[in-house]
Amino acid sequence: MVVLSSRPILENFVTPRKFTAGVPVVDLSRHDAKTRIVAAAEEFGFFKVINSGIPIEFLENLEKEARDFFKLPLPEKQKPGAGNPYGYGNKNIGAKGDVGWVEYLLFTVNLNSGELFPGISTSLRELLIQYTQIVKRMASEVLELMAEELGVPARDCFSKMINEENSDCLFRLNHYPPSPAMNLVGFGEHTDPQIISVCRSNNISGLQICLRDGGWLAVPPDHTSFFFNVGDSLQVLTNGRFKSVKHRVVAEGIESRISMIFFGGPAMNVVIKPVTALMADGEESFYNEFTWSEYKKSAYKTRLGENRLRFFEKFSLQ
């Protein structure tokens, strides 16, 4: 159970509008998948993927194991570590004072980092290893479809960054307990700093995305599908053509919400800058180039909701 000394209530909360057009949906089994991916990434920085081919029975089994973990006594849940940054944590998100109605596990999925998913049961570990491998392949496929549609000569232009031996990919397992009040901050508004992130949750609502006009939209839950977020790094790689999506989780239900997110990040020494093949003649980069290590260190020094890219912009994009 999450214990909060003070409950983070959303200030000036506005009920999210209904998304009359629907969340952008990409059917990976259709020939137009790459066109839909790029259109959604340009307009929303967010889309839902269906027909991934991942068996629902496998996903439900993983969800059950995750629930069982979060039911454990606190000392057992703390065995993976103290969440600094990896391991188990609750309430505190990062080191700058952000809090949420959430408890979580955060792990690196780099095979060179030692034992994967330490401190948890063998059954949960085996499922998480399978899950992260499967979702990483799906994320790579989506990134390659993006590159193909954008006309980048190297189809693996983006995907190779998350598939390098030392790529900095992470996995986060979140548990949002039943909420004691309406409009609690489950996870505050933010963008993801990586290239791409892939989220799957149970059938409990809570995820919201921010549109370009500043309005918040509630995303209908769908436990059979996956939701993709464009990250800050992909925004830079496309020179702002894709925009990283600001999103948040609101805890307001009587049932707990489980979500699992794969974050596709590059190796620490990879330089992040606009892809030359995407630049028109005479087009200037909006950003000063940086390594992933530099950006990650900068992101860890900011509050969750801050615009982290502003430190690397050549001029304001607002």
Side-chain angles (χ1 to χ4, degrees):
M1 172 58 98
V2 178
V3 178
L4 291 176
S5 57
S6 60
R7 297 169 182 171
I9 306 295
L10 288 175
E11 296 180 0
N12 303 318
F13 181 80
V14 177
T15 301
R17 300 196 304 270
K18 290 185 177 180
F19 204 164
T20 55
V23 171
V25 177
V26 175
D27 185 339
L28 287 183
S29 69
R30 289 175 56 95
H31 69 279
D32 64 349
K34 62 183 181 180
T35 302
R36 289 178 176 270
I37 287 170
V38 168
E42 290 179 335
E43 180 65 22
F44 301 99
F46 177 87
F47 50 92
K48 170 181 170 178
V49 164
I50 62 173
N51 287 332
S52 65
I54 302 175
I56 186 62
E57 296 79 11
F58 170 75
L59 297 173
E60 290 176 342
N61 192 18
L62 173 54
E63 184 183 314
K64 178 185 177 300
E65 288 283 341
R67 286 184 180 278
D68 288 345
F69 172 82
F70 287 115
K71 290 177 182 177
L72 293 172
L74 184 59
E76 291 295 312
K77 290 190 286 191
Q78 291 175 326
K79 284 184 176 180
N84 187 31
Y86 304 125
Y88 171 83
N90 69 44
K91 183 184 75 171
N92 295 310
I93 302 170
K96 294 297 178 179
D98 292 292
V99 296
W101 190 256
V102 63
E103 59 179 339
Y104 61 87
L105 283 172
L106 179 64
F107 294 112
T108 176
V109 294
N110 186 334
L111 292 174
N112 294 327
S113 63
E115 181 188 5
L116 289 179
F117 310 116
I120 60 176
S121 68
T122 301
S123 55
L124 178 56
R125 180 185 300 111
E126 290 177 351
L127 287 170
L128 289 181
I129 290 173
Q130 283 184 265
Y131 179 82
T132 52
Q133 291 173 342
I134 291 170
V135 174
K136 187 176 186 178
R137 285 197 296 269
M138 178 170 58
S140 297
E141 178 185 358
V142 167
L143 289 171
E144 289 172 3
L145 289 171
M146 279 182 179
E148 192 175 302
E149 178 67 9
L150 289 170
V152 180
R155 192 173 187 266
D156 66 348
C157 174
F158 303 133
S159 65
K160 67 182 180 182
M161 295 185 183
I162 71 170
N163 284 305
E164 290 182 348
E165 186 177 5
N166 293 318
S167 64
D168 186 34
C169 296
L170 305 178
F171 175 79
R172 186 179 184 111
L173 186 62
N174 292 324
H175 173 230
Y176 302 93
S179 172
M182 294 296 290
N183 304 333
L184 281 184
V185 175
F187 209 107
E189 63 183 73
H190 64 286
T191 59
D192 295 333
Q194 291 85 359
I195 295 171
I196 198 120
S197 53
V198 186
C199 177
R200 187 262 174 188
S201 73
N202 60 351
N203 245 4
I204 303 300
S205 61
L207 177 62
Q208 299 178 0
I209 62 171
C210 186
L211 294 187
R212 293 186 179 183
D213 65 2
W216 286 95
L217 296 172
V219 178
D222 183 352
H223 69 293
T224 66
S225 302
F226 296 83
F227 295 93
F228 279 67
N229 296 332
V230 169
D232 294 342
S233 295
L234 187 55
Q235 177 173 322
V236 174
L237 289 167
T238 60
N239 204 32
R241 180 169 176 175
F242 296 169
K243 190 168 179 63
S244 56
V245 62
K246 185 178 289 186
H247 52 288
R248 68 187 184 189
V249 174
V250 177
E252 57 183 8
I254 59 173
E255 298 183 72
S256 63
R257 182 175 185 268
I258 296 284
S259 68
M260 46 197 78
I261 307 99
F262 169 82
F263 298 96
M268 290 296 184
N269 63 349
V270 167
V271 175
I272 308 295
K273 61 181 180 178
V275 175
T276 303
L278 295 178
M279 303 282 280
D281 290 342
E283 181 180 349
E284 183 182 357
S285 170
F286 293 141
Y287 308 93
N288 295 306
E289 64 180 52
F290 51 86
T291 64
W292 171 240
S293 176
E294 290 171 333
Y295 191 59
K296 187 172 183 178
K297 288 176 182 176
S298 175
Y300 271 94
K301 294 177 182 178
T302 63
R303 293 293 299 270
L304 194 60
E306 291 185 43
N307 174 15
R308 301 167 177 135
L309 278 176
R310 74 185 188 278
F311 301 111
F312 301 90
E313 293 173 353
K314 290 185 176 179
F315 47 86
S316 176
L317 302 181
Q318 301 301 320

